[in-house]
Amino acid sequence: MTHASSSPIWHPFTQHGLEEPIPLIARAEGARLYDADGNRWIDAISSWWVTTHGHAHPRIMAAIRAQTEKLDQLIFAGWTHEPAETLAAELIRITPGPLTRVFFSDSGSTSVEVALKMALGHFANRGEPRQRILVLEHSYHGDTIGAMSVGARGVFNKPYDPLLFDVGTIPFPHEGMEQLALDALEVACTQKPAALIVEPLILGAGGMLIYPAWVLAEMRSICAAHGVLFIADEVMTGWGRTGTRFACDQAGVIPDILCLSKGLTGGAIPLAVTLCIEPIFASHWSTDRARAFYHSSSYTANPIACAAANANLEIWRDEPVEERIDGLAQAQRAHLAMLAHAPRVSSPRRLGTIAALDVDQSDAGYLSGLAPRLIAFYRDRGVLLRPLGNTIYVMPPYGITPDDLAEVWTAIAASLEI
Ligand SMILES: *Cc1c(COP(=O)(O)O)cnc(C)c1O
């Protein structure tokens, strides 16, 4: 079943003029989506990278139901509640020691806006003239104006370009070019920027571009040496995607500011947090109200969302999540290896549970419509995949069955023939 063409809904990242069918989903379980007619799709991109364990995980659903019996929503300026207190304490426990403060918000973009404002507020309150932000080439940090400003410029944000603030861009550390990127960061850091923001180890929307842990560690220490705050945007990489709970763990990197969202609630309900080191909190701490951190959204630390996140953290504590991640990573490796030498396939790559490959784009005209044609091909075969340009990637929930994963890769193999 698809939604009626009379629907008033304006969908995100959707060109309605192309009149592509929009499936109407009625329920979901594990890695599967179902419509009311009994058709099913395998969700091979975790509903845009959010669903970690699987759809409708019973413990998360139960936690949400239980919380709705108690407290639905509460102003968070000057008030607090148990689910948020439990969650904040647990986040501090599972992240590295220097991260001591938790600021709540409600989306990945907002967690990035908060991170940028924390960094700029920190230096403003200390009377230090540091305002510039450094970014990595090809980055994506969200779709609000500040988040777009620190992300790659292109077709997605062209109309807003005059409004986006100027940033310093460090070249992406492509294989063999790592030192070039690090040298560029070193030079940029001498000009006293406020912060560097990075997606650790893998750039998601930029095309699943992977760089090594040692480069991340080097970038971190260059920033530290120059007093530049290091912001890790783990909105996509967090919660096991890259093989470890956080991507920074693989590099032994402790950021000054850490953004988390997407898998924070297991992907069930919106919530985000920005964690920071004590000196950033301390520079806002004062008896002077003018130095307070002026940021809030209406649903900051919504109790139902916090209860879902607490259930997610319990799942990480009690269930063999790491084993599932390892199992999925190995299965992804095997499937990717089978296609690695197929005609038209280049740059097969994998980090943890994320596998990606590029489809040869020698014929740019033909391929300019490749992604939409692939999306339709997969959709008609019961698979939800959404290539980024000519990059096909698989990022499923950890609970996907081996059969469903095999079906996803069979669909990809078949799509290389079209
Ligand atoms: C998805 C994403 C965001 C934006 O998160 P939203 O919840 O969509 O606002 C920010 N940073 C990264 C790395 C992301 O992948």
Side-chain angles (χ1 to χ4, degrees):
M1 188 186 276
T2 57
H3 94 331
S5 57
S6 60
S7 168
I9 295 173
W10 188 346
H11 286 267
F13 277 73
T14 301
Q15 178 44 275
H16 284 270
L18 297 174
E19 298 186 343
E20 280 152 359
I22 298 180
L24 186 68
I25 296 301
R27 66 188 181 86
E29 199 185 331
R32 289 176 164 218
L33 309 172
Y34 299 91
D35 73 5
D37 301 333
N39 299 307
R40 69 107 181 98
W41 288 265
I42 301 167
D43 185 353
I45 58 162
S46 299
S47 277
W48 246 352
W49 319 348
V50 301
T51 308
T52 47
H53 313 293
H55 286 280
H57 190 292
R59 287 176 74 174
I60 298 174
M61 297 300 107
I64 289 172
R65 275 195 299 277
Q67 184 58 39
T68 61
E69 302 285 321
K70 294 186 226 159
L71 176 66
D72 57 344
Q73 160 69 2
L74 177 73
I75 177 175
F76 211 59
W79 296 75
T80 193
H81 53 78
E82 221 278 318
E85 294 295 339
T86 303
L87 177 55
E90 190 58 14
L91 287 170
I92 292 305
R93 195 184 69 76
I94 66 167
T95 53
L99 296 166
T100 54
R101 299 287 166 174
V102 181
F103 192 93
F104 284 95
S105 61
D106 47 17
S107 75
S109 303
T110 318
S111 74
V112 167
E113 299 282 349
V114 166
L116 298 173
K117 286 173 72 172
M118 277 181 178
L120 297 175
H122 173 68
F123 290 114
N125 283 343
R126 284 160 48 126
E128 279 184 54
R130 286 181 181 256
Q131 274 135 11
R132 197 168 166 79
I133 306 289
L134 302 179
V135 308
L136 211 52
E137 186 189 16
H138 306 307
S139 296
Y140 176 80
H141 296 289
D143 282 340
T144 52
I145 296 284
M148 279 193 292
S149 296
V150 293
R153 309 296 159 93
V155 63
F156 301 116
N157 45 42
K158 199 164 180 50
Y160 329 112
D161 196 58
L163 281 178
L164 304 185
F165 58 76
D166 196 28
V167 294
T169 303
I170 309 304
F172 181 80
H174 288 288
E175 200 177 340
M177 315 271 274
E178 294 91 348
Q179 197 54 48
L180 201 87
L182 294 171
D183 291 347
L185 176 61
E186 185 90 48
V187 170
C189 278
T190 60
Q191 286 152 19
K192 297 202 176 303
L196 167 72
I197 181 167
V198 297
E199 293 165 86
L201 300 188
I202 180 166
L203 275 55
M208 301 298 157
L209 300 176
I210 299 170
Y211 63 96
W214 71 266
V215 175
L216 181 66
E218 275 299 305
M219 290 196 295
R220 204 281 167 261
S221 52
I222 291 170
C223 287
H226 290 87
V228 175
L229 294 173
F230 186 89
I231 304 173
D233 174 357
E234 293 234 23
V235 169
M236 186 278 271
T237 51
W239 308 106
R241 289 291 177 205
T242 68
T244 45
R245 182 163 359 209
F246 302 117
C248 282
D249 299 346
Q250 288 176 51
V253 158
I254 303 175
D256 297 309
I257 302 179
L258 172 64
C259 303
L260 301 172
S261 185
K262 291 192 171 130
L264 172 59
T265 60
I269 192 168
L271 187 68
V273 288
T274 308
L275 280 73
C276 73
I277 54 170
E278 194 63 16
I280 297 175
F281 178 79
S283 62
H284 291 82
W285 192 96
S286 166
T287 50
D288 176 3
R289 283 173 202 267
R291 293 168 68 110
F293 187 53
Y294 287 111
H295 190 97
S296 177
S297 33
S298 306
Y299 290 105
T300 295
N302 173 266
I304 298 169
C306 289
N310 284 323
N312 172 46
L313 286 164
E314 281 170 27
I315 291 166
W316 271 89
R317 274 202 305 271
D318 306 345
E319 295 187 16
V321 178
E322 278 101 347
E323 267 169 52
R324 281 178 211 149
I325 288 170
D326 286 347
L328 175 57
Q330 294 319 317
Q332 288 277 73
R333 188 176 65 168
H335 286 297
L336 187 63
M338 297 211 294
L339 279 189
H341 304 290
R344 296 179 67 201
V345 169
S346 61
S347 304
R349 54 198 183 274
R350 184 186 63 87
L351 181 66
T353 69
I354 306 167
L357 54 85
D358 295 343
V359 182
D360 179 19
Q361 58 174 343
S362 52
D363 181 348
Y366 164 74
L367 280 154
S368 60
L370 178 67
R373 288 200 302 126
L374 287 175
I375 291 169
F377 178 86
Y378 300 133
R379 189 182 58 227
D380 294 346
R381 289 181 63 118
V383 172
L384 167 52
L385 278 170
R386 200 182 157 93
L388 295 154
N390 70 317
T391 299
I392 300 174
Y393 71 92
V394 183
M395 194 196 293
Y398 310 145
I400 189 171
T401 63
D403 285 352
D404 280 2
L405 187 63
E407 193 176 324
V408 170
W409 283 95
T410 303
I412 293 173
S415 73
L416 296 173
E417 313 284 322
I418 67 169

